[in-house]
Amino acid sequence: MTIIKNKNLPNDKIVFVAFSELKGMGRTRGLNISHIWGFSKKVNMKYITDWYHKALSLIPPRYYVMEEKLGQIHQANINMLLITKSYKSFRYQFSLPLRGQRTKTNAKTSKHHRELKLIQDKIEMRGDVVEGLSKREMKKQRKKTLRKERKKEEKKQQKYQERKSKLICLLYTSPSPRDRQKSRM
């Protein structure tokens, strides 16, 4: 079994496909490595000798950026964006599409995740979350609080509409200043 960066590559897969299990290594890079070592495209990992397994475990970390190092570079790039306070970092903070995609009809998933995150933050601020809940229970609790928040918003909207309609009624039913003067005479 080949171990690269503390990750076991599956023995039941073809060599270049097995390399695609690593973060930062796709099928193309895996195909390049298998081509360098002289393997056919159809060679399975279980038919490779131990010597090749050891050699294959040394090659990728030396020549390719992958796994933890790739994650560190990605995080450093994001932090740099946040420091510069660019438009892209603003979009990233609010989990919106970064590269000019439209959000009026698309990006529903990111908006949904953002809404769930805001609700989760509210729950944590209140202290409603009990430690040891499963993901399913947490989801149920988030949905309940979301429903409560929506009901509150609906009630506020209803009260606002009622007040607005009362004011409109008063405007149309109360006599105008001219009419008041005529009635006094």
Side-chain angles (χ1 to χ4, degrees), residues 118-131:
L118 290 172
I119 291 166
Q120 186 178 11
D121 292 345
K122 282 183 182 178
I123 291 171
E124 288 172 1
M125 285 172 57
R126 288 184 196 152
D128 293 344
V129 177
V130 181
E131 293 295 323

Side-chain angles (χ1 to χ4, degrees), residues 4-20:
I4 299 175
K5 291 277 188 176
N6 299 327
K7 195 163 189 178
N8 296 334
L9 295 183
N11 275 339
D12 59 335
K13 292 190 178 179
I14 300 169
V15 176
F16 74 93
V17 176
F19 272 108
S20 68

Side-chain angles (χ1 to χ4, degrees), residues 162-174:
E162 287 173 6
R163 287 180 191 157
K164 191 176 174 182
S165 63
K166 284 180 184 177
L167 285 172
I168 290 171
C169 287
L170 285 172
L171 283 173
Y172 286 115
T173 55
S174 64

Side-chain angles (χ1 to χ4, degrees), residues 76-111:
N77 291 341
I78 290 170
N79 289 339
M80 192 61 174
L81 278 175
L82 295 174
I83 289 169
T84 57
K85 295 187 178 181
S86 64
Y87 179 72
K88 197 171 180 180
S89 69
F90 168 77
R91 304 284 292 179
Y92 183 82
Q93 283 176 330
F94 289 99
S95 62
L96 291 167
L98 304 177
R99 299 179 183 160
Q101 299 94 328
R102 63 182 289 153
T103 55
K104 186 175 180 181
T105 56
N106 299 341
K108 299 213 187 282
T109 307
S110 61
K111 287 179 181 177

Side-chain angles (χ1 to χ4, degrees), residues 2 14-16 19 30-45 47-49 51-53 55-56:
T2 307
I14 300 169
V15 176
F16 74 93
F19 272 108
L31 199 59
N32 289 343
I33 290 171
S34 62
H35 180 71
I36 289 167
W37 282 94
F39 298 130
S40 170
K41 285 184 181 179
K42 298 178 181 177
V43 173
N44 206 318
M45 286 292 282
Y47 299 120
I48 297 175
T49 61
W51 184 85
Y52 277 117
H53 279 288
L56 284 172

